[in-house]
Amino acid sequence: MNVDNFMSELAIRHPGEKEYLQAVREVLLSIEPVYNMHPEFEKARIIERLVEPDRTFIFKVPWTDDNGEIHVNTGYRIQYNNAIGPYKGGLRFHNSVNLSILKFLGFEQIFKNALTTLPMGGGKGGSDFSTRGRSSAEIERFCHSFMLELWRNIGPNTDVPAGDIGVGAREIGYLYGMYKKLTRENTGVLTGKGLVYGGSRIRPEATGFGALYFVTQMLETAGDSLKGKTIAISGFGNVAWGAAKKATELGAKVVTLSGPDGYIYDKNGLNDEKIAYMLELRASNNDVVEPFAKKFGVEFIAGHKPWERKVDIAMPCATQNELNGDDAKQLVSNGVKMVAEVSNMGCTPEAIDTFINARIVYGPGKAVNAGGVATSGLEMTQNAMHLSWSSDEVDARLHTIMSDIHDQCVQYGTESDGYINYMKGANIAGFMKVARAMLEEGYLG
Ligand code: 2IT
C-alpha cells in the first residue's frame, strides 16, 4: 500500500469529506510499515474493506416546535465495522453534523473500541439538530421522531448507540423510551442510560476519568506525576467535567474551560463548587461559557482558545480540529509537557506533527478518551447479566482497561530513541486486532 496513492483515489470517491479523509490518512500513515510487512492483509484487501462503512442509514427527522411549526432534520446511523463485536458508538446532535464528520467518528471508533479489550465494533450516528435554545418538550419530540426511524436498525446484539456531543442522559432517556414503546423490549439497547433504568455507575464520569488515568500512566512512564501540574481544558460539557473533576481530585490545577464564545482563565484552579456548576451551565442549553466567568469573577477572554496559556498539560475536550498547528507551536514555546486529546481528533495533523517533532508526549483521542465507550461496554455487560455493579467495581475495571490501552500503545509505539509515539501505538494496536478478525472471518467479515 502507498498512502498517497490510496488517499488520492479515496478523495475522488468521497469528494469534500475532509474530516473522514483526515482520519483515514492519519491511521494509514501510522500502520503503513506494519501493513506492508503482512502481505496477507494486502491480499485480503483489509484497508479497502475497512475504510468503507458496512452500511449507512440516512433518514428524515420531522418534528414540531413548541409553536406547532414543523422542522426537518437529517438523521444518520453508520454501521462501520462489526468484525470484533456489535456496532457501538455514540450519537451526536449538533448543527455541524454531516456525513463526513460521522464517518470520521465511526472510523475512529473501530480502533478505539478494539483498544478497550472489549468485543465492540465501530459505529456512529446523529443529526444536524442542535439542542441549543430548545425546550425539553421539543427535544423529546425530536428524539421520538429520530427513534421512529432508527429502531429497526439497532439492537442489543447488532448496534448499540450511546451519547456524544448534544446527547446526554436526557436525550438517551427519550430515545430509550421510544425504542421500548416500539419494540416492547427492555434490553438495554442504548448505553449512557439513567441509573434507575439500566445505566452503569461511573458512565457519566468515565470519559474524563479514564483520560486522567491514562494521563497519570503517561506521566509515570515519563518519570513524572500529576501532582501540582497546571492543566488547560477546553469545552465545558460532560467530558470536560469528568476530566476537571478527576484532575482536581488527583491534585492537579485546572485553569481553563472554554466554549464557542471564548475561554475562562482561573489562576487558582477549579474547585468542587465550580466543577459542579459546569453541569448546571451545560443543562441550561446555552452553549456559552461566559456565565461561568461572571458567576465566579474569573477572567473571560472572548474569541480566544485556552492554548495561548502557559500550562504543563493541554487537554482538548471539546470537538474535532480544535487545536491547530499555530496553537501547538504556542503551547510548545510555552513549555507544555504533555498533550492528551480527549475530544475525537481534537488536534489537526499539523498540531500532532509539531508535538511529535518536539518529542512532547501526545496521547491521541482514540486511546485517551476510550474510557467512555469502555464503560458503555461494561454497561452492556451488566444489562446482559441483568445486574448492576458498584461504583468501585466499575471504576476498578475502567482502571484496568485504561492501563491495558496504555500498555498496547507502549508496545506498538516505542521508537528507537525511546520516545513513545502513542498515536502510532494506538493506531497499530487497534488495527492489528480488527485486521486479524477480518482475516479470520473471510472476505465478507
Ligand atoms: O466518542 C465516543 O467514544 C463516544 N461518544 C462514546 C460512545 C459510546 O458508545 O459510549
Side-chain angles (χ1 to χ4, degrees):
M1 173 196 44
N2 173 289
V3 176
D4 285 329
N5 294 348
F6 185 91
M7 289 308 302
S8 314
E9 284 172 26
L10 196 65
I12 292 169
R13 282 222 309 282
H14 303 287
E17 295 187 5
K18 59 182 199 306
E19 294 85 3
Y20 162 66
L21 296 168
Q22 179 187 339
V24 172
R25 184 181 192 87
E26 182 208 290
V27 170
L28 295 194
L29 284 173
S30 290
I31 65 162
E32 189 177 18
V34 183
Y35 193 78
N36 290 334
M37 275 163 48
H38 287 270
E40 69 276 22
F41 290 162
E42 182 91 47
K43 190 161 182 290
R45 296 282 181 266
I46 297 290
I47 289 300
E48 287 81 348
R49 287 159 54 201
L50 250 178
V51 300
E52 290 298 334
D54 287 351
R55 65 196 67 79
T56 301
F57 302 102
I58 304 184
F59 47 91
K60 179 173 73 181
V61 189
W63 56 281
T64 54
D65 67 20
D66 289 341
N67 299 319
E69 301 269 351
I70 299 167
H71 298 255
V72 179
N73 286 92
T74 308
Y76 305 83
R77 184 69 186 169
I78 303 179
Q79 297 182 335
Y80 224 112
N81 184 294
N82 66 352
I84 66 172
Y87 304 106
K88 180 83 196 87
L91 297 170
R92 177 177 291 192
F93 290 171
H94 192 264
N95 49 21
S96 64
V97 162
N98 58 35
L99 188 59
S100 170
I101 288 178
L102 295 180
K103 277 173 72 180
F104 115 65
L105 288 164
F107 186 71
E108 291 275 295
Q109 200 82 46
I110 303 170
F111 307 101
K112 183 198 308 196
N113 293 3
L115 288 170
T116 65
T117 73
L118 303 174
M120 298 184 290
K124 202 85 192 186
S127 177
D128 57 354
F129 168 80
S130 179
T131 54
R132 183 177 181 174
R134 290 294 169 199
S135 70
S136 279
E138 288 174 327
I139 293 169
E140 180 166 10
R141 287 194 293 276
F142 176 83
C143 289
H144 286 170
S145 183
F146 186 87
M147 189 53 86
L148 264 174
E149 279 294 325
L150 185 67
W151 73 280
R152 283 182 197 280
N153 301 315
I154 61 174
N157 293 309
T158 49
D159 184 358
V160 182
D164 192 87
I165 293 171
V167 179
R170 174 182 54 189
E171 289 74 21
I172 291 291
Y174 295 148
L175 291 163
Y176 195 70
M178 191 55 161
Y179 182 86
K180 214 158 51 66
K181 191 90 191 157
L182 292 163
T183 58
R184 302 186 183 177
E185 267 184 16
N186 196 335
T187 47
V189 69
L190 306 176
T191 61
K193 298 184 293 296
L195 261 188
V196 288
Y197 64 95
S200 174
R201 293 197 164 78
I202 310 287
R203 178 64 190 87
E205 295 88 348
T207 310
F209 279 21
L212 264 298
Y213 300 157
F214 198 86
V215 164
T216 303
Q217 293 239 342
M218 292 200 292
L219 285 164
E220 278 170 7
T221 307
D224 205 343
S225 84
L226 194 67
K227 252 215 145 46
K229 292 280 184 298
T230 50
I231 305 185
I233 284 182
S234 63
F236 67 99
N238 168 264
V239 172
W241 166 75
K245 194 168 150 75
K246 187 51 84 176
T248 307
E249 196 184 303
L250 295 176
K253 205 160 95 172
V254 176
V255 292
T256 70
L257 294 174
S258 73
D261 54 333
Y263 76 95
I264 64 107
Y265 181 73
D266 185 350
K267 63 179 187 325
N268 300 321
L270 302 185
N271 58 21
D272 292 349
E273 187 196 354
K274 292 170 183 169
I275 293 168
Y277 178 67
M278 291 170 74
L279 294 179
E280 217 178 290
L281 188 58
R282 174 56 65 186
S284 71
N285 284 352
N286 261 323
D287 208 22
V288 286
V289 80
E290 193 178 5
F292 185 100
K294 290 217 171 91
K295 183 171 167 73
F296 296 108
V298 298
E299 230 180 299
F300 174 70
I301 302 89
H304 283 239
K305 297 191 271 186
W307 319 130
E308 62 190 25
R309 291 290 171 164
K310 180 175 165 47
V311 288
D312 298 316
I313 303 172
M315 298 186 71
C317 293
T319 194
Q320 68 273 358
N321 293 328
E322 55 169 316
L323 195 163
N324 64 29
D326 291 338
D327 300 326
K329 286 193 197 96
Q330 175 88 59
L331 281 165
V332 172
S333 70
N334 281 340
V336 76
K337 295 189 176 69
M338 179 174 286
V339 180
E341 194 180 64
V342 199
S343 43
N344 290 310
M345 207 165 77
C347 297
T348 64
E350 296 73 29
I352 299 172
D353 285 349
T354 303
F355 296 135
I356 292 180
N357 290 338
R359 288 325 208 205
I360 282 164
V361 180
Y362 160 71
K366 61 172 78 67
V368 176
N369 75 28
V373 71
T375 307
S376 277
L378 300 178
E379 183 171 331
M380 289 166 70
T381 308
Q382 293 168 76
N383 292 164
M385 297 196 300
H386 303 282
L387 51 73
S388 79
W389 288 327
S390 67
S391 297
D392 286 348
E393 170 101 44
V394 178
D395 201 33
R397 287 176 190 268
L398 175 60
H399 264 287
T400 307
I401 289 170
M402 295 315 293
S403 139
D404 221 303
I405 298 173
H406 186 268
D407 290 349
Q408 295 175 66
C409 291
V410 172
Q411 184 191 340
Y412 288 99
T414 306
E415 301 198 331
S416 50
D417 62 356
Y419 174 73
I420 303 168
N421 184 332
Y422 284 87
M423 172 183 69
K424 187 168 112 185
N427 284 335
I428 297 178
F431 169 77
M432 290 302 278
K433 182 172 176 185
V434 178
R436 284 190 181 126
M438 289 172 73
L439 267 186
E440 291 182 25
E441 291 172 17
Y443 73 89
L444 291 178

